[in-house]
Amino acid sequence: DGGITQSPKYLFRKEGQNVTLSCEQNLNHDAMYWYRQDPGQGLRLIYYSQIVNDFQKGDIAEGYSVSREKKESFPLTVTSAQKNPTAFYLCASTQGAGANVLTFGAGSRLTVL
Amino acid sequence: AQSVTQLDSHVSVSEGTPVLLRCNYSSSYSPSLFWYVQHPNKGLQLLLKYTSAATLVKGINGFEAEFKKSETSFHLTKPSAHMSDAAEYFCVVSVPQAGTALIFGKGTTLSVSS
């Protein structure tokens, strides 16, 4: 079945460490997104990519980095510069940009110890 | 500017009673509107979407929503709640002409008691 796979599901990090969250899709979707979810705040866009080797900052990109070397993969690195990284991270994809339906992964929960 | 407001952060109903989750939007253009559902520690799943066709939109699991341009609303309803409906619900607006991707509401948590 087609879908989005995020890993790991749970991740613990010490302060000062970088961590990378994986997002892989086999839907042949062009666009991929990373969102951060905090209780009571909805979803906030971190980065998005509409084509391979290109990506754009979202609303809260500071302290994060991404790459899009392959169409099916869009990893997110949470760097030590991110002041409050503990959150639930969701990856999503869609066939094209704009008003298209997003398909979401199951999420990765990052906790900083 | 485009925005979306979910009017209730938490709604509690009894099983078998109607569900109403309220959403208002603000947009200078004709928006597309979506409702997504999220069960605990899971990703989001699309319930339904409005893209300028019929104003009453039917979705999965018996949910529906009505687009009311005059009221700038897109409320989600279900005639009879089921225990499995307990989840968080997000109203989302998309306005590509404004250069934005998707704007999410802050979510409404639906609790269903037996």
Side-chain angles (χ1 to χ4, degrees), chain A residues 6-11 21 33-46 60 64 76 78 82 84-92 104-112, chain B residues 37-45 88 90:
Chain A
Q6 289 188 241
S7 62
K9 188 169 179 64
Y10 298 95
L11 184 61
L21 307 180
Y33 304 81
W34 273 106
Y35 289 91
R36 171 179 171 140
Q37 185 177 18
D38 297 282
Q41 296 195 42
L43 274 68
R44 294 181 289 169
L45 183 63
I46 304 172
I60 55 166
Y64 299 98
L76 173 73
V78 185
Q82 168 51 231
N84 184 21
T86 294
F88 192 53
Y89 291 88
L90 287 160
C91 180
F104 282 86
S108 293
R109 185 168 298 281
L110 172 63
T111 303
V112 173
Chain B
V37 61
Q38 182 184 33
H39 288 91
N41 293 311
K42 301 289 187 185
L44 279 70
Q45 179 186 15
E88 189 158 20
F90 292 96

Side-chain angles (χ1 to χ4, degrees), chain A residues 7 14 23 57 70 80 96 106 110 113:
Chain A
S7 62
K14 294 181 180 180
C23 178
K57 293 182 178 180
K70 298 184 297 182
S80 57
L110 172 63
L113 303 173

